[in-house]
Amino acid sequence: HPLRYPSTKSETTPRKRTEHHQLNATMSATAAAPSLAKAVGATFGTYCIADFLSNFLQHPTQKMDYGYFNSFLGREVGEDFWGTRTQHIVGVAGCLALTDHTSQALFQKVLKKELCFAKSPAAFVAHTFLFIFSGVTLYVAGDAAFNPNHEGKRLEEFKEGTYCSYVGSNTAWFEPYVPLAVAKVAGPAAAGTWLGSSLLPATLAYTTVKGVGWNDWGNSGLNDIELKLNGLKK
């Protein structure tokens, strides 16, 4: 009726409900962002340490090239960053941290539950291969595109690196089983620690992925500076 006063009672329309849900989703995402960033940062740090430690398993008696940091170790510095173990440590860890958490989120969205090896072993093993292969290949792509040492052969570097990434990633299937082995040997408490559940599995996975994928063992897989530091010829 034209003379009817507007109702003071609030009405919940489909549009208002949609806006309300969108607002809640935005607020939830905003609240979760800091915790996600913290988780990714922690993963990045773990992977940096794991890569560094894996060098001692792959090259127990060889001197490594850490670029700029060689000066603190009394070693010759060739390149400050590009083509050094430092580039690999930082670059691969960053890529793996991103693909690890992205893969977890995708699997959880599909499974409608938290991704857990105990509850979904097949899915977790698939996640392990996919995030390692995609992360290492992402690093390979970045290295091929931006490393000045690859000028004139960038596509070849990308193709070769992608193949090595695939070969190496196939060796990391055992990573989810490492905490189970730790639990058998040292008990569940040890398996539940950062060392037993994160650092040790990652270190062993780095070792096999690099070692098998790039034949990076002993005196093999060394760059020019490392060959020189260890008194070896090309």
Side-chain angles (χ1 to χ4, degrees):
H1 193 282
L3 297 181
R4 182 179 296 162
Y5 290 101
S7 173
T8 57
K9 184 178 180 181
S10 62
E11 297 180 4
T12 303
T13 64
R15 180 180 178 181
K16 287 183 177 180
R17 285 196 296 269
T18 300
E19 291 176 348
H20 181 68
H21 290 322
Q22 290 176 340
L23 178 60
N24 283 342
T26 301
M27 292 176 66
S28 298
T30 302
S35 60
L36 176 60
K38 184 178 180 180
V40 172
T43 302
F44 170 74
T46 297
Y47 288 157
C48 280
I49 298 172
D51 195 352
F52 175 72
L53 293 177
S54 69
N55 288 331
F56 293 95
L57 297 177
Q58 296 167 252
H59 308 279
T61 62
Q62 288 77 18
K63 296 177 181 178
M64 299 287 93
D65 174 23
Y66 293 104
Y68 170 77
F69 297 102
N70 280 359
S71 58
F72 299 100
L73 302 172
R75 300 174 186 173
E76 178 183 346
V77 177
E79 295 277 352
D80 283 341
F81 181 74
W82 294 111
T84 68
R85 300 281 168 172
T86 298
Q87 178 203 338
H88 190 277
I89 289 172
V90 175
V92 174
C95 292
L96 286 178
L98 291 176
T99 58
D100 188 354
H101 287 274
T102 300
S103 177
Q104 287 185 51
L106 292 175
F107 270 93
Q108 287 173 185
K109 187 174 183 179
V110 172
L111 296 173
K112 305 298 183 183
K113 60 182 179 181
E114 183 181 3
L115 183 62
C116 175
F117 181 62
K119 297 178 180 178
S120 307
F124 199 93
V125 171
H127 151 73
T128 300
F129 169 78
L130 289 173
F131 97 78
I132 292 177
F133 173 66
S134 60
V136 175
T137 303
L138 179 62
Y139 167 79
V140 166
D143 178 58
F146 301 111
N147 190 334
N149 298 324
H150 299 326
E151 189 66 44
K153 53 178 181 178
R154 298 192 184 281
L155 184 57
E156 290 78 4
E157 285 292 332
F158 173 69
K159 290 180 178 179
E160 181 182 352
T162 299
Y163 175 74
C164 293
S165 173
Y166 174 75
V167 172
S169 297
N170 276 290
T171 69
W173 60 268
F174 66 87
E175 185 179 10
Y177 295 91
V178 174
L180 298 181
V182 173
K184 290 280 187 180
V185 175
T193 64
W194 169 72
L195 178 63
S197 65
S198 298
L199 183 60
L200 181 59
T203 301
L204 296 177
Y206 261 100
T207 302
T208 62
V209 172
K210 292 190 298 176
V212 176
W214 277 263
N215 191 29
D216 193 16
W217 304 104
N219 290 334
S220 299
L222 305 180
N223 66 20
D224 291 347
I225 289 295
E226 289 172 338
L227 290 172
K228 187 175 181 181
L229 289 173
N230 292 284
L232 302 171
K233 295 181 180 181
K234 286 187 178 182

